[in-house]
Amino acid sequence: MKDVANKVGVHSSTVSRVLNPDTRKMMTEEIAEKILKVAAEMGYRPNAFAQSLKTNRSFTVGVMVPDLTNPAFAPIIKGIDNMLEAHGYSVIVANTYNLPDKQQSTAEKFRERHVDGLIIATAQRKDKLIEDCRREGTPFVQAVRASNDTDVSSVLSDEHIGGNMVISHLAQLGHKRIAYVAGPQFFSTGYERYQGFLQGMKNAGLKADKDLVVFCDEFSEEEGRHATSKLLAGRKKFTAVYAGNDIMALGVYDELEADGIKCGKDISVVGFDDMPFADKFNPPLTTVHTPLVNVGSEAARILLEKINDAATPARSIKLKPDLIVRESTGKVR
């Protein structure tokens, strides 16, 4: 750093401020550009270990996701990484496989690495990890999924608005017998989306039939297929299926095709999340678009505030979703 300062003709503290994204704006643009150019030419790399000793920070954040095979989590991680990288932080991502024991052991490993905070996308509605983080004073933010704790920060999609959008759309197409494939109720996403379905049916003047609701144990393609098989084997007819997420909707597609039923024509199907490639389904999937990148970036922004000031009050943010209408829904035949 002193070598860079000598070459530019400034004090080493000026170089330090420019090389720190959080303090770079304190310098003029001209000086900042000159220092960054010289630093690059000289192959300067900050000593992260030395910085951590001086600041008592590792400048790393642990991110826990439940299922890396679910494409919906990729844009969330992208949003997190974009925000944190801009502030000089690195991200460590861990997959918990939706297993509470794995979640706990992952949290312990993150603590051993002295991460500065956690972004938790794995929480159940009643979650011991959340209690542990609060007790130990670990800065954390919940993303996508939230626990029942009201005084912790979270960034979610407004599942109720999404449900209203779906049912309103189907009702306008003439659908009255609407089946629902529900995600696990111990996750906020499963529970809140089911409540959004019920609210949407009520607002549309339709009656939700308990015989047309199947509760699943996990958000998976196989569970979606199994639920659809149960619906088709039942005595009651239905003209549309609303699935708890896009992965489950893919399972609905599988079972309908296996039974010779044309999705979008014989039975309409709607998902939730608008995960990458949902528009490549056959037919392209009508779904609720959750602003996944924004969920990640907002969660990271709140976490940075908490890292910098432990007294930052808890906030619960719900981002407004949009309905993306594609070819998997059509008028009742």
Side-chain angles (χ1 to χ4, degrees):
M1 191 178 294
K2 289 180 179 179
D3 291 340
V4 173
N6 290 334
K7 189 164 184 178
V8 178
V10 296
H11 195 273
S12 59
S13 62
T14 302
V15 176
S16 177
R17 292 190 182 96
V18 169
L19 296 177
N20 183 344
D22 290 333
T23 56
R24 186 174 299 162
K25 59 186 177 182
M26 297 171 61
M27 301 294 106
T28 65
E29 187 174 337
E30 181 182 357
I31 288 294
E33 288 181 357
K34 188 179 293 186
I35 289 172
L36 290 172
K37 181 181 179 182
V38 170
E41 290 173 351
M42 298 180 69
Y44 172 81
R45 292 183 181 85
N47 187 323
F49 180 70
Q51 286 180 336
S52 68
L53 291 175
K54 183 178 180 180
T55 63
N56 199 29
R57 289 186 183 180
S58 65
F59 292 95
T60 58
V61 165
V63 179
M64 286 188 280
V65 296
D67 183 9
L68 278 172
T69 64
N70 184 338
F73 287 100
I76 295 170
I77 295 171
K78 177 181 179 181
I80 292 170
D81 188 58
N82 287 347
M83 177 62 71
L84 292 178
E85 185 181 31
H87 289 82
Y89 281 77
S90 298
V91 175
I92 306 174
V93 179
N95 189 9
T96 67
Y97 304 98
N98 277 312
L99 300 173
D101 289 346
K102 175 66 173 174
Q103 178 177 268
Q104 288 290 340
S105 64
T106 298
E108 285 301 319
K109 289 177 182 177
F110 279 151
R111 292 188 186 104
E112 290 170 4
R113 288 177 174 269
H114 300 284
V115 298
D116 294 328
L118 298 174
I119 295 179
I120 303 170
T122 58
Q124 296 190 15
R125 291 169 62 202
K126 294 181 179 180
D127 202 302
K128 182 178 182 298
L129 175 62
I130 303 304
E131 297 174 4
D132 291 345
C133 288
R134 293 177 62 186
R135 184 177 62 254
E136 295 175 9
T138 304
F140 74 96
V141 177
Q142 299 176 103
V144 186
R145 298 176 180 175
S147 64
N148 290 339
D149 298 80
T150 56
D151 56 347
V152 298
S153 293
S154 61
V155 182
L156 317 167
S157 172
D158 195 317
E159 321 287 15
H160 287 211
I161 289 179
N164 273 293
M165 288 176 170
V166 170
I167 302 304
S168 176
H169 169 64
L170 292 173
Q172 289 174 17
L173 293 173
H175 296 279
K176 297 180 180 179
R177 305 290 299 169
I178 302 171
Y180 186 67
V181 176
Q185 297 300 286
F186 48 82
F187 290 133
S188 64
T189 42
Y191 178 76
E192 293 296 335
R193 289 176 189 182
Y194 175 53
Q195 296 304 310
F197 161 73
L198 295 176
Q199 185 182 54
M201 293 290 282
K202 183 178 180 180
N203 291 348
L206 301 175
K207 185 177 180 180
D209 188 336
K210 62 183 174 106
D211 293 331
L212 293 179
V213 176
V214 180
F215 293 97
C216 299
D217 294 328
E218 58 184 27
F219 286 106
S220 69
E221 184 177 350
E222 184 57 33
E223 281 288 278
R225 180 165 190 165
H226 179 65
T228 307
S229 177
K230 289 178 66 174
L231 289 169
L232 293 173
R235 296 180 180 179
K236 297 191 176 180
K237 294 183 178 180
F238 55 94
T239 61
V241 180
Y242 174 21
N245 77 349
D246 294 344
I247 292 288
M248 298 171 83
L250 188 57
V252 176
Y253 272 45
D254 294 340
E255 190 60 29
L256 292 179
E257 183 179 6
D259 282 67
I261 299 171
K262 293 183 179 179
C263 176
K265 294 183 179 179
D266 299 329
I267 291 181
S268 291
V269 179
V270 184
F272 205 112
D273 280 336
D274 194 26
M275 69 180 192
F277 310 116
D279 60 332
K280 301 298 188 294
F281 284 22
N282 184 24
L285 179 66
T286 293
T287 184
V288 178
H289 174 78
T290 299
L292 298 172
V293 173
N294 291 346
V295 167
S297 60
E298 280 298 300
R301 183 176 61 80
I302 293 174
L303 182 62
L304 287 171
E305 292 175 359
K306 285 183 167 295
I307 290 171
N308 292 323
D309 182 4
T312 300
R315 283 185 291 161
S316 180
I317 297 176
K318 288 190 175 183
L319 302 179
K320 184 179 179 296
D322 294 302
L323 182 68
I324 308 298
V325 178
R326 299 191 180 104
E327 294 160 37
S328 67
T329 51
K331 293 183 178 179
V332 176
R333 298 178 67 176

